[in-house]
Every structure is written in C-alpha cells, then in structure tokens.
Amino acid sequence: MSGTDIRQEIRRLLRERNAVLLAHNYMRDEIQEIADITGDSLQLSQEAARTGAAVIVFCGVHFMAESAAILSPDKTVLLPRPDAGCPMADMVDVAGLRELKARHPGVPVVTYVNSSAAVKAESDICCTSANAVSVVKSLPDTKLIFTPDRNLGRWIARFVPDKEFIFWDGYCPTHERLTAERVRQMKAEHPDALFICHPECAPEISALADHVCSTSGMYLYCAKSQARKFIIGTEAGILYKLRQENPDKEFILASPALICPNMKLTSLEDLLLCLQTMQPVVTVPEGVRLRAQAALDRMLAVPRD
Ligand code: 13P
Ligand code: SF4
C-alpha cells in the first residue's frame, strides 16, 4: 500500500470504529499529521476523560494509554506498539514506593503521570509537567514525596520554597543526554537564539534556559515570543508542530541525542494493523484502576495558576 493509501485506510477505519486518534507531541511527524488531537500529557489525559468516541487509539507510550484506560473504563483503548514503554516510569515500583511511604507516614505522594497505573494507585495525586506547580501548591501539607522524576521535582520545588520534598531518584534518559557543555556550545554558536527546555532536563540545563516548560508550554511560548530563533531542549518530535505553526521562526534541536526511542516506535503501518485487528488493547485491573483514577481525578480538579 502506498503512503497515501495507508493514511486513507487509517482515517476510514477510525470512522468505522468510532475511534479517536490521540498522539503525543513527541510522535513521528506522520503520526502527528494524521492524529485527531495532538498534545502534551495533560491535554491528552483531559481529552481521554471527555471524548465521546467508543475507541481511543493512543499513539504515545504505555503509561499514557494506561491513563486513558483508567479515565475511560467504558472505552476500548488501543496502543499500536505495546513495547513503547517509558524507562523513567519503570524506575519506580510499588514495593519501593510503599517502603518509602512507610518511612514517612502521613506524607502525601505526588506522582508524575510518567508512571504505571499500579504506582498511581499508591499515590495521593498525580501531576504532569504542565500542572505540577499548581498541584503541589494545592496540597495543604508542608512535606511531600515526589516521584519518579527528580529533575521535574527539583524544578518545581523552586516555586514552593515553603514545602519540603522527598525526591524519588528517577529521570528521563532522553532528556538527561543533554549536557550543559552542549548547551553552552549551542548558545555560543547561536547567540541570537533563546534556549527553551523541558523540566525533565537536569538542573544544570534548566539553569541555562530562558524558559522551562512542558511541550504544550513550548508551543505557546514560541508563538508569543518576539524572538526569531530558538534552541529546543526536549525530544525531537516537538519540532514538527513548532515549525508548522511558526514558519517565520527558526528552531534548532539542542542535541541530536534528544530522541526518545520509545516515542519513535509507532509507524503508520503499526497504526493501520492496530485498527484492522483492534489489538493490542490496554486494560487496568479494576482494583488498581479505581485507586489510580482517584489520583488522576484529584489532579484534573486542580485549577491552573
Ligand atoms: P509533556 O508532554 O507532558 O511535557 O511530557 C513530556 C514527556 O516526556 C512525555 O513522555
Ligand atoms: Fe519516558 Fe523520557 Fe521517553 Fe518521555 S521522553 S517517554 S519521559 S523516556
């Protein structure tokens, strides 16, 4: 089948199955192009919670499809590549988190959505990079456990100096490949560019940034900014929409190492096969789902600052 035929067949099957296609901002260009909705983790989980479609096809990684399954138990959630995982999500497990909770009784657990359903179920509230500060501020407690991303945790801790954090030692291997030396070199090569990075980058990288934000925050910031040139410190997939939405501006990836292998797995052929076979389906055991949903619902109820 030619590329055009595959696209047409995917769109036809989406209509036939009453399915909505959600794609994360890091997906391959051709997946973003064909998606009904692209967005960051927060936007996609909000969309999963409110869509009227019978089927959600999630082009992203496993924890994202799990979140959709948690929030929409009456819908079929498909993940075209079941092997698309997230190494950061795998860095925290239920046994380890329970042990940490036992050492800090009564301290609430804030869990980044980049985590398994089982870990969410052990948590008091979830957050994404777009709402993490608002979520933490919404808690009356002065001490909290933040898991799994130590970099996001340290970044938001700056905005809530009155709170004490216990950080889990997880991180995103893709964002941690960006070094301060590389950023300094890029800034020297492009002195007229602003440097923007994701809070999953290490603290020494965020310290060099003109702006630190989630992927959707980057679209807003770059569209509004008077600057013409940007060095981008997050996964390469973000460039597709940045360039499309801002044809008069220049976007340079801070490093060729900023490619998440998991986010790049899903192809149009995988998507077609998934719609033809209605497999693989992502499900979450009901006991886990209900507790994980409570943590996600608490997050979705937090107003943004
Ligand atoms: P956001 O799109 O929420 O900024 O998340 C980044 C990420 O690493 C998702 O895996
Ligand atoms: Fe996980 Fe990082 Fe890939 Fe996002 S970019 S899916 S956090 S490994």
Side-chain angles (χ1 to χ4, degrees), residues 24-26 39-44 61 63-64 85-86 88 112-114 127-130 149 172 174-175 198-200 213-218 234-235 238 260 263:
H24 188 266
N25 293 327
Y26 292 161
D40 68 3
S41 307
L42 179 61
Q43 291 167 325
L44 296 177
V61 292
F63 74 80
M64 297 180 174
C86 169
M88 170 166 30
Y112 190 27
V113 289
N114 297 33
C127 73
T128 75
S129 57
D149 188 1
C172 164
T174 298
H175 286 86
H198 196 277
E200 286 177 17
C213 58
S214 72
T215 54
S216 57
M218 289 190 191
T234 194
E235 211 278 341
I238 188 133
C260 171
M263 285 286 187

PDB file of all heavy atoms in Angstrom, residues 24-26 39-44 61 63-64 85-86 88 112-114 127-130 149 172 174-175 198-200 213-218 234-235 238 260 263, ligand 1:
ATOM      1  N   HIS A  24       0.890  11.984  21.104  1.00  0.00           N
ATOM      2  CA  HIS A  24       1.735  12.868  21.911  1.00  0.00           C
ATOM      3  C   HIS A  24       2.620  13.717  20.999  1.00  0.00           C
ATOM      4  O   HIS A  24       2.952  13.314  19.877  1.00  0.00           O
ATOM      5  CB  HIS A  24       2.599  12.060  22.898  1.00  0.00           C
ATOM      6  CG  HIS A  24       3.325  12.949  23.860  1.00  0.00           C
ATOM      7  ND1 HIS A  24       4.607  13.384  23.638  1.00  0.00           N
ATOM      8  CD2 HIS A  24       2.926  13.526  25.019  1.00  0.00           C
ATOM      9  CE1 HIS A  24       4.968  14.183  24.638  1.00  0.00           C
ATOM     10  NE2 HIS A  24       3.958  14.275  25.488  1.00  0.00           N
ATOM     11  N   ASN A  25       3.001  14.879  21.512  1.00  0.00           N
ATOM     12  CA  ASN A  25       3.827  15.834  20.753  1.00  0.00           C
ATOM     13  C   ASN A  25       5.197  15.284  20.349  1.00  0.00           C
ATOM     14  O   ASN A  25       5.905  15.934  19.588  1.00  0.00           O
ATOM     15  CB  ASN A  25       4.053  17.101  21.593  1.00  0.00           C
ATOM     16  CG  ASN A  25       2.780  17.886  21.826  1.00  0.00           C
ATOM     17  OD1 ASN A  25       1.914  17.905  20.968  1.00  0.00           O
ATOM     18  ND2 ASN A  25       2.657  18.530  22.985  1.00  0.00           N
ATOM     19  N   TYR A  26       5.596  14.130  20.885  1.00  0.00           N
ATOM     20  CA  TYR A  26       6.903  13.554  20.519  1.00  0.00           C
ATOM     21  C   TYR A  26       6.795  12.485  19.422  1.00  0.00           C
ATOM     22  O   TYR A  26       7.797  11.908  19.020  1.00  0.00           O
ATOM     23  CB  TYR A  26       7.545  12.876  21.732  1.00  0.00           C
ATOM     24  CG  TYR A  26       7.984  13.778  22.861  1.00  0.00           C
ATOM     25  CD1 TYR A  26       8.198  13.240  24.133  1.00  0.00           C
ATOM     26  CD2 TYR A  26       8.220  15.132  22.685  1.00  0.00           C
ATOM     27  CE1 TYR A  26       8.616  14.033  25.192  1.00  0.00           C
ATOM     28  CE2 TYR A  26       8.632  15.929  23.743  1.00  0.00           C
ATOM     29  CZ  TYR A  26       8.826  15.375  24.993  1.00  0.00           C
ATOM     30  OH  TYR A  26       9.246  16.141  26.046  1.00  0.00           O
ATOM     31  N   GLY A  39      -1.053  16.584  21.615  1.00  0.00           N
ATOM     32  CA  GLY A  39      -0.940  17.392  22.828  1.00  0.00           C
ATOM     33  C   GLY A  39       0.091  16.861  23.783  1.00  0.00           C
ATOM     34  O   GLY A  39       0.773  15.860  23.503  1.00  0.00           O
ATOM     35  N   ASP A  40       0.183  17.530  24.924  1.00  0.00           N
ATOM     36  CA  ASP A  40       1.079  17.064  25.978  1.00  0.00           C
ATOM     37  C   ASP A  40       0.314  16.074  26.859  1.00  0.00           C
ATOM     38  O   ASP A  40      -0.875  15.790  26.620  1.00  0.00           O
ATOM     39  CB  ASP A  40       1.674  18.238  26.771  1.00  0.00           C
ATOM     40  CG  ASP A  40       0.655  18.988  27.618  1.00  0.00           C
ATOM     41  OD1 ASP A  40      -0.524  18.592  27.658  1.00  0.00           O
ATOM     42  OD2 ASP A  40       1.057  19.974  28.258  1.00  0.00           O
ATOM     43  N   SER A  41       0.958  15.572  27.887  1.00  0.00           N
ATOM     44  CA  SER A  41       0.348  14.527  28.710  1.00  0.00           C
ATOM     45  C   SER A  41      -0.944  15.015  29.358  1.00  0.00           C
ATOM     46  O   SER A  41      -1.910  14.255  29.456  1.00  0.00           O
ATOM     47  CB  SER A  41       1.326  14.084  29.797  1.00  0.00           C
ATOM     48  OG  SER A  41       2.548  13.740  29.213  1.00  0.00           O
ATOM     49  N   LEU A  42      -0.972  16.288  29.787  1.00  0.00           N
ATOM     50  CA  LEU A  42      -2.171  16.808  30.450  1.00  0.00           C
ATOM     51  C   LEU A  42      -3.328  16.919  29.459  1.00  0.00           C
ATOM     52  O   LEU A  42      -4.434  16.433  29.717  1.00  0.00           O
ATOM     53  CB  LEU A  42      -1.882  18.172  31.088  1.00  0.00           C
ATOM     54  CG  LEU A  42      -3.074  18.832  31.790  1.00  0.00           C
ATOM     55  CD1 LEU A  42      -3.581  17.959  32.928  1.00  0.00           C
ATOM     56  CD2 LEU A  42      -2.699  20.206  32.337  1.00  0.00           C
ATOM     57  N   GLN A  43      -3.056  17.532  28.304  1.00  0.00           N
ATOM     58  CA  GLN A  43      -4.125  17.701  27.307  1.00  0.00           C
ATOM     59  C   GLN A  43      -4.676  16.349  26.865  1.00  0.00           C
ATOM     60  O   GLN A  43      -5.885  16.190  26.717  1.00  0.00           O
ATOM     61  CB  GLN A  43      -3.571  18.441  26.078  1.00  0.00           C
ATOM     62  CG  GLN A  43      -3.233  19.883  26.369  1.00  0.00           C
ATOM     63  CD  GLN A  43      -2.407  20.499  25.247  1.00  0.00           C
ATOM     64  OE1 GLN A  43      -1.583  19.855  24.610  1.00  0.00           O
ATOM     65  NE2 GLN A  43      -2.632  21.768  24.997  1.00  0.00           N
ATOM     66  N   LEU A  44      -3.791  15.373  26.681  1.00  0.00           N
ATOM     67  CA  LEU A  44      -4.258  14.076  26.199  1.00  0.00           C
ATOM     68  C   LEU A  44      -5.049  13.337  27.268  1.00  0.00           C
ATOM     69  O   LEU A  44      -6.025  12.654  26.962  1.00  0.00           O
ATOM     70  CB  LEU A  44      -3.074  13.228  25.696  1.00  0.00           C
ATOM     71  CG  LEU A  44      -2.339  13.806  24.471  1.00  0.00           C
ATOM     72  CD1 LEU A  44      -1.148  12.940  24.092  1.00  0.00           C
ATOM     73  CD2 LEU A  44      -3.268  13.954  23.265  1.00  0.00           C
ATOM     74  N   VAL A  61       3.250   6.429  24.624  1.00  0.00           N
ATOM     75  CA  VAL A  61       3.880   5.295  25.308  1.00  0.00           C
ATOM     76  C   VAL A  61       2.885   4.679  26.300  1.00  0.00           C
ATOM     77  O   VAL A  61       1.810   5.231  26.548  1.00  0.00           O
ATOM     78  CB  VAL A  61       5.214   5.696  25.984  1.00  0.00           C
ATOM     79  CG1 VAL A  61       6.262   6.025  24.928  1.00  0.00           C
ATOM     80  CG2 VAL A  61       5.030   6.849  26.953  1.00  0.00           C
ATOM     81  N   PHE A  63       2.334   4.240  29.524  1.00  0.00           N
ATOM     82  CA  PHE A  63       1.663   4.868  30.668  1.00  0.00           C
ATOM     83  C   PHE A  63       0.552   5.817  30.208  1.00  0.00           C
ATOM     84  O   PHE A  63      -0.425   6.034  30.922  1.00  0.00           O
ATOM     85  CB  PHE A  63       2.672   5.581  31.594  1.00  0.00           C
ATOM     86  CG  PHE A  63       3.230   6.877  31.075  1.00  0.00           C
ATOM     87  CD1 PHE A  63       2.517   8.057  31.150  1.00  0.00           C
ATOM     88  CD2 PHE A  63       4.503   6.923  30.525  1.00  0.00           C
ATOM     89  CE1 PHE A  63       3.032   9.258  30.678  1.00  0.00           C
ATOM     90  CE2 PHE A  63       5.036   8.111  30.046  1.00  0.00           C
ATOM     91  CZ  PHE A  63       4.290   9.284  30.124  1.00  0.00           C
ATOM     92  N   MET A  64       0.695   6.390  29.026  1.00  0.00           N
ATOM     93  CA  MET A  64      -0.326   7.325  28.516  1.00  0.00           C
ATOM     94  C   MET A  64      -1.608   6.573  28.160  1.00  0.00           C
ATOM     95  O   MET A  64      -2.713   7.024  28.466  1.00  0.00           O
ATOM     96  CB  MET A  64       0.208   8.070  27.287  1.00  0.00           C
ATOM     97  CG  MET A  64       1.413   8.931  27.597  1.00  0.00           C
ATOM     98  SD  MET A  64       2.005   9.775  26.128  1.00  0.00           S
ATOM     99  CE  MET A  64       3.269  10.791  26.896  1.00  0.00           C
ATOM    100  N   GLY A  85       7.437   1.733  25.835  1.00  0.00           N
ATOM    101  CA  GLY A  85       7.387   1.986  27.283  1.00  0.00           C
ATOM    102  C   GLY A  85       8.059   3.303  27.622  1.00  0.00           C
ATOM    103  O   GLY A  85       8.381   4.103  26.746  1.00  0.00           O
ATOM    104  N   CYS A  86       8.265   3.539  28.907  1.00  0.00           N
ATOM    105  CA  CYS A  86       8.977   4.742  29.339  1.00  0.00           C
ATOM    106  C   CYS A  86       9.954   4.319  30.433  1.00  0.00           C
ATOM    107  O   CYS A  86       9.538   3.912  31.518  1.00  0.00           O
ATOM    108  CB  CYS A  86       8.003   5.787  29.872  1.00  0.00           C
ATOM    109  SG  CYS A  86       8.838   7.164  30.705  1.00  0.00           S
ATOM    110  N   MET A  88      11.680   6.011  32.429  1.00  0.00           N
ATOM    111  CA  MET A  88      11.505   6.731  33.696  1.00  0.00           C
ATOM    112  C   MET A  88      10.368   6.109  34.504  1.00  0.00           C
ATOM    113  O   MET A  88      10.497   5.916  35.719  1.00  0.00           O
ATOM    114  CB  MET A  88      11.211   8.217  33.467  1.00  0.00           C
ATOM    115  CG  MET A  88      10.800   8.859  34.767  1.00  0.00           C
ATOM    116  SD  MET A  88      10.759  10.625  34.919  1.00  0.00           S
ATOM    117  CE  MET A  88      10.393  11.291  33.394  1.00  0.00           C
ATOM    118  N   TYR A 112       4.251  11.943  39.149  1.00  0.00           N
ATOM    119  CA  TYR A 112       4.254  12.398  37.755  1.00  0.00           C
ATOM    120  C   TYR A 112       3.514  11.341  36.934  1.00  0.00           C
ATOM    121  O   TYR A 112       3.688  10.136  37.197  1.00  0.00           O
ATOM    122  CB  TYR A 112       5.717  12.509  37.327  1.00  0.00           C
ATOM    123  CG  TYR A 112       6.018  13.182  36.010  1.00  0.00           C
ATOM    124  CD1 TYR A 112       5.191  14.152  35.457  1.00  0.00           C
ATOM    125  CD2 TYR A 112       7.187  12.856  35.318  1.00  0.00           C
ATOM    126  CE1 TYR A 112       5.508  14.771  34.258  1.00  0.00           C
ATOM    127  CE2 TYR A 112       7.524  13.475  34.124  1.00  0.00           C
ATOM    128  CZ  TYR A 112       6.679  14.424  33.593  1.00  0.00           C
ATOM    129  OH  TYR A 112       7.013  15.030  32.410  1.00  0.00           O
ATOM    130  N   VAL A 113       2.732  11.766  35.948  1.00  0.00           N
ATOM    131  CA  VAL A 113       1.947  10.789  35.170  1.00  0.00           C
ATOM    132  C   VAL A 113       2.828   9.773  34.438  1.00  0.00           C
ATOM    133  O   VAL A 113       2.335   8.727  34.031  1.00  0.00           O
ATOM    134  CB  VAL A 113       0.983  11.466  34.166  1.00  0.00           C
ATOM    135  CG1 VAL A 113      -0.170  12.131  34.885  1.00  0.00           C
ATOM    136  CG2 VAL A 113       1.711  12.418  33.252  1.00  0.00           C
ATOM    137  N   ASN A 114       4.096  10.080  34.280  1.00  0.00           N
ATOM    138  CA  ASN A 114       5.028   9.118  33.668  1.00  0.00           C
ATOM    139  C   ASN A 114       5.314   8.006  34.680  1.00  0.00           C
ATOM    140  O   ASN A 114       6.396   7.917  35.263  1.00  0.00           O
ATOM    141  CB  ASN A 114       6.343   9.809  33.278  1.00  0.00           C
ATOM    142  CG  ASN A 114       6.159  10.890  32.229  1.00  0.00           C
ATOM    143  OD1 ASN A 114       5.137  11.561  32.204  1.00  0.00           O
ATOM    144  ND2 ASN A 114       7.146  11.043  31.369  1.00  0.00           N
ATOM    145  N   CYS A 127       0.462  14.480  38.715  1.00  0.00           N
ATOM    146  CA  CYS A 127       0.727  15.775  38.081  1.00  0.00           C
ATOM    147  C   CYS A 127       1.364  15.524  36.728  1.00  0.00           C
ATOM    148  O   CYS A 127       1.829  14.418  36.454  1.00  0.00           O
ATOM    149  CB  CYS A 127       1.654  16.634  38.946  1.00  0.00           C
ATOM    150  SG  CYS A 127       3.368  16.084  38.951  1.00  0.00           S
ATOM    151  N   THR A 128       1.355  16.534  35.879  1.00  0.00           N
ATOM    152  CA  THR A 128       2.125  16.495  34.636  1.00  0.00           C
ATOM    153  C   THR A 128       3.123  17.645  34.713  1.00  0.00           C
ATOM    154  O   THR A 128       3.083  18.449  35.671  1.00  0.00           O
ATOM    155  CB  THR A 128       1.228  16.678  33.384  1.00  0.00           C
ATOM    156  OG1 THR A 128       0.855  18.056  33.301  1.00  0.00           O
ATOM    157  CG2 THR A 128      -0.021  15.811  33.437  1.00  0.00           C
ATOM    158  N   SER A 129       3.954  17.780  33.700  1.00  0.00           N
ATOM    159  CA  SER A 129       4.911  18.894  33.741  1.00  0.00           C
ATOM    160  C   SER A 129       4.181  20.229  33.579  1.00  0.00           C
ATOM    161  O   SER A 129       4.692  21.269  33.989  1.00  0.00           O
ATOM    162  CB  SER A 129       5.983  18.723  32.661  1.00  0.00           C
ATOM    163  OG  SER A 129       5.381  18.629  31.396  1.00  0.00           O
ATOM    164  N   ALA A 130       2.968  20.197  32.995  1.00  0.00           N
ATOM    165  CA  ALA A 130       2.234  21.445  32.768  1.00  0.00           C
ATOM    166  C   ALA A 130       1.534  21.949  34.030  1.00  0.00           C
ATOM    167  O   ALA A 130       1.280  23.145  34.169  1.00  0.00           O
ATOM    168  CB  ALA A 130       1.209  21.243  31.651  1.00  0.00           C
ATOM    169  N   ASP A 149      10.246  11.566  38.867  1.00  0.00           N
ATOM    170  CA  ASP A 149      11.260  12.385  38.192  1.00  0.00           C
ATOM    171  C   ASP A 149      11.949  13.383  39.131  1.00  0.00           C
ATOM    172  O   ASP A 149      11.375  14.424  39.473  1.00  0.00           O
ATOM    173  CB  ASP A 149      10.603  13.132  37.019  1.00  0.00           C
ATOM    174  CG  ASP A 149      11.628  13.851  36.145  1.00  0.00           C
ATOM    175  OD1 ASP A 149      12.838  13.751  36.442  1.00  0.00           O
ATOM    176  OD2 ASP A 149      11.225  14.521  35.181  1.00  0.00           O
ATOM    177  N   CYS A 172      14.520  10.939  33.112  1.00  0.00           N
ATOM    178  CA  CYS A 172      14.289  10.554  31.719  1.00  0.00           C
ATOM    179  C   CYS A 172      15.650  10.429  31.029  1.00  0.00           C
ATOM    180  O   CYS A 172      16.365  11.433  30.907  1.00  0.00           O
ATOM    181  CB  CYS A 172      13.452  11.620  31.017  1.00  0.00           C
ATOM    182  SG  CYS A 172      13.511  11.474  29.221  1.00  0.00           S
ATOM    183  N   THR A 174      16.380  10.203  27.979  1.00  0.00           N
ATOM    184  CA  THR A 174      16.482  11.038  26.766  1.00  0.00           C
ATOM    185  C   THR A 174      16.880  12.468  27.141  1.00  0.00           C
ATOM    186  O   THR A 174      17.853  13.018  26.611  1.00  0.00           O
ATOM    187  CB  THR A 174      15.143  11.037  25.996  1.00  0.00           C
ATOM    188  OG1 THR A 174      14.868   9.698  25.592  1.00  0.00           O
ATOM    189  CG2 THR A 174      15.189  11.945  24.786  1.00  0.00           C
ATOM    190  N   HIS A 175      16.147  13.071  28.073  1.00  0.00           N
ATOM    191  CA  HIS A 175      16.472  14.457  28.457  1.00  0.00           C
ATOM    192  C   HIS A 175      17.818  14.549  29.168  1.00  0.00           C
ATOM    193  O   HIS A 175      18.511  15.562  29.062  1.00  0.00           O
ATOM    194  CB  HIS A 175      15.350  15.045  29.325  1.00  0.00           C
ATOM    195  CG  HIS A 175      14.125  15.387  28.528  1.00  0.00           C
ATOM    196  ND1 HIS A 175      13.139  14.474  28.258  1.00  0.00           N
ATOM    197  CD2 HIS A 175      13.753  16.538  27.900  1.00  0.00           C
ATOM    198  CE1 HIS A 175      12.203  15.045  27.507  1.00  0.00           C
ATOM    199  NE2 HIS A 175      12.545  16.292  27.283  1.00  0.00           N
ATOM    200  N   HIS A 198      12.699  21.452  28.625  1.00  0.00           N
ATOM    201  CA  HIS A 198      11.669  20.742  29.387  1.00  0.00           C
ATOM    202  C   HIS A 198      12.197  20.536  30.811  1.00  0.00           C
ATOM    203  O   HIS A 198      13.401  20.316  30.997  1.00  0.00           O
ATOM    204  CB  HIS A 198      11.402  19.390  28.710  1.00  0.00           C
ATOM    205  CG  HIS A 198      10.132  18.742  29.155  1.00  0.00           C
ATOM    206  ND1 HIS A 198      10.054  17.993  30.300  1.00  0.00           N
ATOM    207  CD2 HIS A 198       8.891  18.753  28.607  1.00  0.00           C
ATOM    208  CE1 HIS A 198       8.801  17.562  30.430  1.00  0.00           C
ATOM    209  NE2 HIS A 198       8.079  17.999  29.416  1.00  0.00           N
ATOM    210  N   PRO A 199      11.290  20.564  31.824  1.00  0.00           N
ATOM    211  CA  PRO A 199      11.776  20.353  33.205  1.00  0.00           C
ATOM    212  C   PRO A 199      12.309  18.952  33.477  1.00  0.00           C
ATOM    213  O   PRO A 199      12.860  18.715  34.553  1.00  0.00           O
ATOM    214  CB  PRO A 199      10.543  20.659  34.067  1.00  0.00           C
ATOM    215  CG  PRO A 199       9.375  20.593  33.153  1.00  0.00           C
ATOM    216  CD  PRO A 199       9.867  20.913  31.777  1.00  0.00           C
ATOM    217  N   GLU A 200      12.179  18.024  32.521  1.00  0.00           N
ATOM    218  CA  GLU A 200      12.819  16.711  32.691  1.00  0.00           C
ATOM    219  C   GLU A 200      14.332  16.797  32.477  1.00  0.00           C
ATOM    220  O   GLU A 200      15.059  15.842  32.748  1.00  0.00           O
ATOM    221  CB  GLU A 200      12.226  15.684  31.712  1.00  0.00           C
ATOM    222  CG  GLU A 200      10.831  15.224  32.106  1.00  0.00           C
ATOM    223  CD  GLU A 200      10.207  14.260  31.106  1.00  0.00           C
ATOM    224  OE1 GLU A 200      10.945  13.692  30.285  1.00  0.00           O
ATOM    225  OE2 GLU A 200       8.976  14.097  31.148  1.00  0.00           O
ATOM    226  N   CYS A 213       9.481  24.664  30.386  1.00  0.00           N
ATOM    227  CA  CYS A 213       8.034  24.369  30.358  1.00  0.00           C
ATOM    228  C   CYS A 213       7.751  23.027  29.712  1.00  0.00           C
ATOM    229  O   CYS A 213       8.646  22.396  29.143  1.00  0.00           O
ATOM    230  CB  CYS A 213       7.293  25.473  29.614  1.00  0.00           C
ATOM    231  SG  CYS A 213       7.876  25.702  27.946  1.00  0.00           S
ATOM    232  N   SER A 214       6.479  22.636  29.814  1.00  0.00           N
ATOM    233  CA  SER A 214       6.022  21.382  29.197  1.00  0.00           C
ATOM    234  C   SER A 214       6.027  21.544  27.680  1.00  0.00           C
ATOM    235  O   SER A 214       6.234  22.645  27.161  1.00  0.00           O
ATOM    236  CB  SER A 214       4.594  21.075  29.664  1.00  0.00           C
ATOM    237  OG  SER A 214       3.701  21.983  29.055  1.00  0.00           O
ATOM    238  N   THR A 215       5.727  20.463  26.962  1.00  0.00           N
ATOM    239  CA  THR A 215       5.761  20.556  25.494  1.00  0.00           C
ATOM    240  C   THR A 215       4.701  21.542  24.986  1.00  0.00           C
ATOM    241  O   THR A 215       4.990  22.358  24.109  1.00  0.00           O
ATOM    242  CB  THR A 215       5.581  19.169  24.845  1.00  0.00           C
ATOM    243  OG1 THR A 215       4.401  18.549  25.345  1.00  0.00           O
ATOM    244  CG2 THR A 215       6.776  18.283  25.126  1.00  0.00           C
ATOM    245  N   SER A 216       3.494  21.514  25.565  1.00  0.00           N
ATOM    246  CA  SER A 216       2.468  22.465  25.087  1.00  0.00           C
ATOM    247  C   SER A 216       2.858  23.891  25.467  1.00  0.00           C
ATOM    248  O   SER A 216       2.557  24.845  24.736  1.00  0.00           O
ATOM    249  CB  SER A 216       1.088  22.123  25.639  1.00  0.00           C
ATOM    250  OG  SER A 216       1.138  22.094  27.031  1.00  0.00           O
ATOM    251  N   GLY A 217       3.533  24.040  26.609  1.00  0.00           N
ATOM    252  CA  GLY A 217       4.024  25.359  27.020  1.00  0.00           C
ATOM    253  C   GLY A 217       4.998  25.914  25.987  1.00  0.00           C
ATOM    254  O   GLY A 217       5.045  27.127  25.743  1.00  0.00           O
ATOM    255  N   MET A 218       5.758  25.035  25.352  1.00  0.00           N
ATOM    256  CA  MET A 218       6.729  25.491  24.336  1.00  0.00           C
ATOM    257  C   MET A 218       6.026  26.066  23.118  1.00  0.00           C
ATOM    258  O   MET A 218       6.469  27.065  22.545  1.00  0.00           O
ATOM    259  CB  MET A 218       7.638  24.342  23.912  1.00  0.00           C
ATOM    260  CG  MET A 218       8.608  23.952  25.006  1.00  0.00           C
ATOM    261  SD  MET A 218       9.873  22.816  24.438  1.00  0.00           S
ATOM    262  CE  MET A 218      10.560  22.358  26.040  1.00  0.00           C
ATOM    263  N   THR A 234      14.230  19.579  24.197  1.00  0.00           N
ATOM    264  CA  THR A 234      13.328  18.458  24.520  1.00  0.00           C
ATOM    265  C   THR A 234      13.333  17.501  23.336  1.00  0.00           C
ATOM    266  O   THR A 234      14.102  17.686  22.382  1.00  0.00           O
ATOM    267  CB  THR A 234      11.912  18.944  24.901  1.00  0.00           C
ATOM    268  OG1 THR A 234      11.215  17.855  25.508  1.00  0.00           O
ATOM    269  CG2 THR A 234      11.103  19.417  23.707  1.00  0.00           C
ATOM    270  N   GLU A 235      12.474  16.499  23.387  1.00  0.00           N
ATOM    271  CA  GLU A 235      12.502  15.443  22.368  1.00  0.00           C
ATOM    272  C   GLU A 235      12.207  16.012  20.973  1.00  0.00           C
ATOM    273  O   GLU A 235      11.358  16.903  20.809  1.00  0.00           O
ATOM    274  CB  GLU A 235      11.471  14.363  22.744  1.00  0.00           C
ATOM    275  CG  GLU A 235      11.827  12.963  22.311  1.00  0.00           C
ATOM    276  CD  GLU A 235      11.497  12.637  20.868  1.00  0.00           C
ATOM    277  OE1 GLU A 235      10.659  13.355  20.267  1.00  0.00           O
ATOM    278  OE2 GLU A 235      12.085  11.675  20.323  1.00  0.00           O
ATOM    279  N   ILE A 238       8.886  17.428  18.897  1.00  0.00           N
ATOM    280  CA  ILE A 238       8.235  18.730  19.116  1.00  0.00           C
ATOM    281  C   ILE A 238       8.456  19.683  17.939  1.00  0.00           C
ATOM    282  O   ILE A 238       7.681  20.601  17.706  1.00  0.00           O
ATOM    283  CB  ILE A 238       8.744  19.377  20.430  1.00  0.00           C
ATOM    284  CG1 ILE A 238       7.920  20.624  20.762  1.00  0.00           C
ATOM    285  CG2 ILE A 238      10.205  19.756  20.344  1.00  0.00           C
ATOM    286  CD1 ILE A 238       7.473  20.708  22.145  1.00  0.00           C
ATOM    287  N   CYS A 260      13.723  10.084  21.802  1.00  0.00           N
ATOM    288  CA  CYS A 260      13.257   9.002  22.685  1.00  0.00           C
ATOM    289  C   CYS A 260      12.920   7.792  21.806  1.00  0.00           C
ATOM    290  O   CYS A 260      11.974   7.849  21.015  1.00  0.00           O
ATOM    291  CB  CYS A 260      12.019   9.456  23.467  1.00  0.00           C
ATOM    292  SG  CYS A 260      11.260   8.098  24.371  1.00  0.00           S
ATOM    293  N   MET A 263       9.252   6.716  21.852  1.00  0.00           N
ATOM    294  CA  MET A 263       8.305   7.620  21.192  1.00  0.00           C
ATOM    295  C   MET A 263       8.400   7.511  19.668  1.00  0.00           C
ATOM    296  O   MET A 263       7.512   7.969  18.953  1.00  0.00           O
ATOM    297  CB  MET A 263       8.567   9.066  21.622  1.00  0.00           C
ATOM    298  CG  MET A 263       8.077   9.370  23.015  1.00  0.00           C
ATOM    299  SD  MET A 263       6.274   9.494  23.020  1.00  0.00           S
ATOM    300  CE  MET A 263       6.000  10.057  24.703  1.00  0.00           C
TER     301      MET A 263
HETATM  302  P1  13P B   1       4.745  16.572  28.409  1.00  0.00           P
HETATM  303  O1  13P B   1       4.211  16.432  27.016  1.00  0.00           O
HETATM  304  O2  13P B   1       3.637  16.465  29.376  1.00  0.00           O
HETATM  305  O3  13P B   1       5.542  17.818  28.552  1.00  0.00           O
HETATM  306  O4  13P B   1       5.631  15.277  28.722  1.00  0.00           O
HETATM  307  C1  13P B   1       6.898  15.041  28.274  1.00  0.00           C
HETATM  308  C2  13P B   1       7.249  13.602  28.265  1.00  0.00           C
HETATM  309  O5  13P B   1       8.377  13.221  28.445  1.00  0.00           O
HETATM  310  C3  13P B   1       6.243  12.614  27.981  1.00  0.00           C
HETATM  311  O6  13P B   1       6.821  11.378  27.983  1.00  0.00           O
END
